[in-house]
Amino acid sequence: MSNRDTTFIYCDGSSRGNPGPAAIGVSFQNRDGEEEFFLSEKIGTATNNVAEWSALKRGMEEAVKKGMDKVKFRLDSELVVKQMKGEYKVKNNDLLTYKIECEKLKTKFVSFEIQYIPREQNARADALANLAQDKIDPK
């Protein structure tokens, strides 16, 4: 994936219990919709909103690490998208910490876009989050 190409990054977080066991899924795709790589990770106990923010933050961190400079994030969390765009205030301190960290990461991209998409358009990231949720930890 060339640094000049735009990378489409689909993010999803899930929590079973809210708060409960939580995980994230992030799919990095090229403009043709082909997945270049993905993240599927447990994040411990968290609320659904923390899981959604965590997915965005991890996706941003990985994109920076891989030297991607043009990114378009796609999330099915309207709350996170509107908070990130500044359309909604972030009142929860835990979420505010994520917002501040994501704002710092955002400055590392030449081009950054974030967009809300319906859940059915985010099936791959959702599947990756569930894959992590269902993974049995070795004892």
Side-chain angles (χ1 to χ4, degrees), residues 6-133:
T6 299
T7 305
F8 294 83
I9 305 170
Y10 292 80
C11 303
D12 199 21
S14 77
S15 171
R16 294 182 180 164
N18 204 28
I24 60 161
V26 185
S27 175
F28 296 79
Q29 300 179 10
N30 64 26
R31 74 174 76 220
D32 299 323
E34 297 163 341
E35 186 172 76
E36 301 285 336
F37 65 97
F38 64 86
L39 303 172
S40 177
E41 302 170 352
K42 289 185 182 197
I43 60 166
T45 301
T47 64
N48 197 54
N49 289 336
V50 166
E52 294 282 4
W53 269 105
S54 183
L56 174 62
K57 181 176 168 245
R58 281 290 292 121
M60 292 176 82
E61 288 169 346
E62 201 63 26
V64 168
K65 194 166 105 182
K66 300 250 192 233
M68 298 170 183
D69 53 12
K70 294 180 185 158
V71 293
K72 292 188 178 190
F73 282 85
R74 303 289 185 253
L75 288 79
D76 62 25
S77 170
E78 193 170 7
L79 178 78
V80 171
V81 170
K82 290 197 179 234
Q83 286 179 332
M84 191 65 192
K85 286 182 167 184
E87 294 171 23
Y88 288 172
K89 275 196 168 43
V90 184
K91 296 174 184 159
N92 177 296
N93 280 338
D94 291 339
L95 301 185
L96 188 56
T97 301
Y98 279 97
K99 162 100 165 124
I100 291 165
E101 291 171 1
C102 287
E103 286 293 339
K104 283 183 197 158
L105 287 164
K106 184 177 155 182
T107 65
K108 300 182 188 284
F109 300 108
V110 172
S111 170
F112 174 91
E113 183 184 301
I114 187 166
Q115 179 186 9
Y116 166 77
I117 58 171
R119 184 173 298 275
E120 52 278 5
Q121 289 179 27
N122 206 25
R124 176 61 178 157
D126 179 63
L128 289 166
N130 283 311
L131 185 70
Q133 283 278 28

